[in-house]
């Protein structure tokens, strides 16, 4: 694994799931000072630098993090309770969700649930959804009637990346293959 990939994973873990693992505090919106993060990481045996953090922003395929005014936060993927402070937005008519074939029977009963994360994550195209799905097993892509759900009052949030978030996708919003 490259340095950039390894730091990206480390930052994802700390900023999405467990800042306490290195004694870091996030504010209510999920931000941490980059200097503090670097210092806490070093105290925990992880040597990172501003330069590496910038390279993670620049050189990875996804917009996983925002850096602003000397602070950093994860754009999506949280399991800890953070208030991203983003307003709901009208999504594209169709979004996509990549999942594993073995999850289908449960999804057919209950729709899509956030599981361990704060939100259900949706992709803007099938290629990206297949990449998401492959992490879990045999990939299946579900078409999500995002526009229709939004018209029914379902909230959708666009992250800094091309990832959309929502709280739950009921069965009527899912087109199964
Ligand atoms: C499934 C990565 C059974 C759901 C990705 C998924 C994404 C159900 C799994 C981001 C279910 C949760 C998030 C139900 C949902 N019954 N299974 N009712 N409802 N599921 O990892 O969307 O590379 O928490 O289909 O690319 O896979 O880390 O969510 O398979 O953007 O930046 O439960 O994380 O981004 O899995 O991935 P996850 P996800 P990064």
């Amino acid at each position: 694994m490259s340095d950039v990939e390894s730091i990206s994973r480390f930052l994802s873990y700390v900023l999405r799931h467990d800042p306490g693992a290195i004694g870091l505090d996030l504010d209510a919106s999920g931000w941490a000072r980059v200097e503090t993060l670097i210092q806490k990481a070093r105290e925990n045996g992880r040597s990172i630098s501003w330069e590496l953090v910038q390279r993670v922003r620049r050189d990875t395929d996804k917009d996983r993090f925002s850096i602003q005014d000397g602070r950093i936060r994860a754009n999506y993927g949280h399991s800890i309770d953070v208030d991203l402070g983003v307003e709901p937005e009208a999504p594209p008519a169709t979004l996509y969700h990549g999942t594993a074939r073995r999850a289908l029977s449960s999804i057919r009963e209950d729709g899509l649930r956030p599981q361990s994360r704060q939100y259900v994550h949706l992709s803007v195209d099938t290629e990206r959804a297949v990449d998401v799905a492959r992490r879990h097993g045999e990939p299946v892509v579900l078409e999500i009637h995002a526009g229709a759900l939004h018209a029914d009052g379902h909230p959708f949030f666009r992250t800094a990346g091309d990832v959309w978030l929502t709280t739950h996708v009921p069965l009527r919003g899912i087109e199964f293959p």
Side-chain angles (χ1 to χ4, degrees):
M1 198 188 305
S2 71
D3 276 2
V4 166
E5 262 175 60
S6 157
I7 298 294
S8 178
R9 284 186 188 201
F10 170 74
L11 293 177
S12 293
Y13 177 71
V14 167
L15 296 172
R16 293 173 177 176
H17 307 301
D18 194 3
I22 58 164
L24 185 71
D25 287 322
L26 307 185
D27 74 10
S29 305
W31 295 97
R33 295 207 62 76
V34 180
E35 291 296 352
T36 314
L37 169 67
I38 290 172
Q39 187 197 328
K40 296 280 182 191
R42 285 191 179 152
E43 285 167 16
N44 285 271
R46 240 359 233 234
S47 172
I48 58 176
S49 61
W50 255 104
E51 205 267 327
L52 258 177
V53 173
Q54 298 285 5
R55 270 178 52 205
V56 168
R57 273 283 296 121
R58 206 180 51 229
D59 297 352
T60 46
D61 52 336
K62 290 176 162 185
D63 265 333
R64 294 188 172 95
F65 310 101
S66 290
I67 299 177
Q68 221 174 71
D69 304 327
R71 299 176 312 159
I72 184 167
R73 82 167 173 189
N75 289 328
Y76 60 87
H78 298 87
S79 58
I80 51 175
D81 189 17
V82 300
D83 175 5
L84 291 175
V86 288
E87 292 298 316
E89 262 186 71
T94 305
L95 287 169
Y96 302 89
H97 180 82
T99 190
R101 182 164 300 281
R102 68 171 185 286
L104 283 184
S105 58
S106 163
I107 295 171
R108 278 182 196 280
E109 280 177 18
D110 205 20
L112 288 171
R113 298 275 175 191
Q115 310 293 6
S116 63
R117 302 195 198 252
Q118 251 190 320
Y119 294 104
V120 174
H121 289 57
L122 302 170
S123 306
V124 291
D125 56 41
T126 53
E127 290 75 11
R128 275 174 254 213
V130 168
D131 287 343
V132 175
R134 284 215 174 94
R135 297 161 37 256
H136 295 293
E138 188 189 340
V140 177
V141 172
L142 307 177
E143 218 175 276
I144 307 301
H145 302 308
L149 290 171
H150 177 256
D152 273 3
H154 262 259
F156 286 82
F157 305 93
R158 194 214 316 240
T159 73
D162 261 341
V163 175
W164 283 80
L165 306 175
T166 191
T167 46
H168 163 231
V169 180
L171 284 177
R172 68 177 186 288
I174 305 175
E175 201 66 49
F176 287 91

